Amino acid sequence: MRLKIIIYDNQQLNLDCMKSCLEKSTVTKGYEILIFSNFSVLSNHLLEEDCILLINTSGASCQDISLEVERFLTLNPSLKILIHALNPDAKMIKKLFDKGIKAYLGSTCSIDEFLVAFKHIIKGKIFVSDQIKTMLIDCLCHAEQNHQNSTSHQIAGEITNREKDVLQLICDGLRSKEIAEKLFISANTVETHRRNMMLKFNINKSSVLVKFAMENHLVE
């Protein structure tokens, strides 16, 4: 029995082009290429071991694709699913990989990248196109930045407004006496605020307090 590569797309022209491309490639030599434009008839063709399914998500909602992927992998846990999306979404990409897909291609995917994806899948490897890699990295960086901003806001909420005033002037390089004069408080009160902030943040040097304040955006 020949191994199968099954392609789903709602556009017949796309199906014919992808089938032709795969049939001419040495990468997929020995595979039978089947094409479908209707999800409902796919199930009976997905039961063989090491079967590969390419899904073009055009015209389908993210929720529908997620449900179909889950259904297909329940029918055949060894099924290798490759997703091709014109409008990829980082959260959905992660969700689909969590469900068990093996590869994801974006709208800028070339023929060479398309064939490399199949080469990886046939060898049992994961594949992500360059466009999707960049998208996922940007998403991770954005999430990390949001986390840092959230952490900074939490830290900022741990000190009082007066302590913030004192901290700003400390970071500006003013001495305790100068800070006291600017804020119309005593030098002892300035030192008390300094000491309280250092205790809150488990810091034992004023220079470290300044560095901590700047890194966490506690001062302008």
Side-chain angles (χ1 to χ4, degrees):
M1 183 180 294
R2 295 179 69 190
L3 297 172
K4 290 182 180 179
I5 293 176
I6 298 170
I7 307 172
Y8 165 81
D9 195 305
N10 63 0
Q11 299 291 327
Q12 188 62 43
L13 179 59
N14 291 340
L15 288 170
D16 292 340
C17 289
M18 287 187 284
K19 181 179 180 180
S20 176
C21 176
L22 292 175
E23 286 178 338
K24 292 176 182 177
S25 172
T26 58
V27 171
T28 54
K29 185 178 180 180
Y31 279 83
E32 180 183 5
I33 315 297
L34 303 177
I35 57 176
F36 296 93
S37 58
N38 191 328
F39 267 137
S40 64
V41 299
L42 283 179
S43 300
N44 293 334
H45 299 274
L46 301 175
L47 302 179
E48 287 88 349
E49 190 172 351
D50 291 326
C51 181
I52 297 173
L53 171 63
L54 166 62
I55 301 175
N56 187 313
T57 65
S58 177
S61 70
C62 292
Q63 182 64 21
D64 286 343
I65 293 299
S66 179
L67 290 173
E68 292 296 345
V69 165
E70 188 171 355
R71 181 169 71 88
F72 293 151
L73 287 173
T74 299
L75 283 173
N76 182 3
S78 70
L79 181 65
K80 299 172 181 176
I81 299 179
L82 185 158
I83 299 293
H84 178 221
L86 296 180
N87 298 298
D89 174 80
K91 290 182 180 179
M92 180 52 64
I93 294 168
K94 183 180 183 303
K95 183 177 181 179
L96 290 174
F97 272 108
D98 288 342
K99 286 183 178 294
I101 69 167
K102 300 300 182 184
Y104 204 107
L105 304 173
S107 58
T108 62
C109 173
S110 64
I111 292 177
D112 289 340
E113 204 169 30
F114 179 71
L115 294 175
V116 169
F118 277 93
K119 185 176 181 179
H120 276 69
I121 290 176
I122 290 169
K123 290 183 177 181
K125 298 179 181 180
I126 299 293
F127 182 83
V128 179
S129 68
D130 290 339
Q131 177 194 10
I132 303 305
K133 286 179 185 176
T134 300
M135 178 181 291
L136 291 174
I137 290 171
D138 288 345
C139 182
L140 287 172
C141 291
H142 183 66
E144 177 63 22
Q145 183 62 46
N146 286 342
H147 174 72
Q148 290 176 352
N149 290 340
S150 176
T151 300
S152 296
H153 290 152
Q154 290 174 6
I155 292 172
E158 294 178 14
I159 60 178
T160 66
N161 289 333
R162 178 55 84 185
E163 286 172 342
K164 290 178 184 178
D165 293 337
V166 171
L167 183 58
Q168 179 67 61
L169 295 174
I170 291 173
C171 292
D172 288 342
L174 275 66
R175 298 175 181 272
S176 293
K177 184 178 179 181
E178 295 170 321
I179 295 172
E181 291 174 353
K182 274 188 170 289
L183 298 179
F184 303 103
I185 56 178
S186 69
N188 285 337
T189 300
V190 173
E191 287 303 314
T192 297
H193 287 312
R194 186 198 303 266
R195 183 171 59 254
N196 287 342
M197 286 186 285
M198 291 170 69
L199 286 171
K200 287 178 181 180
F201 302 131
N202 194 27
I203 292 171
N204 56 15
K205 291 182 180 180
S206 290
S207 59
V208 177
L209 177 62
V210 170
K211 182 174 182 293
F212 178 84
M214 291 181 173
E215 288 178 347
N216 288 281
H217 310 290
L218 300 180
V219 294
E220 297 179 358

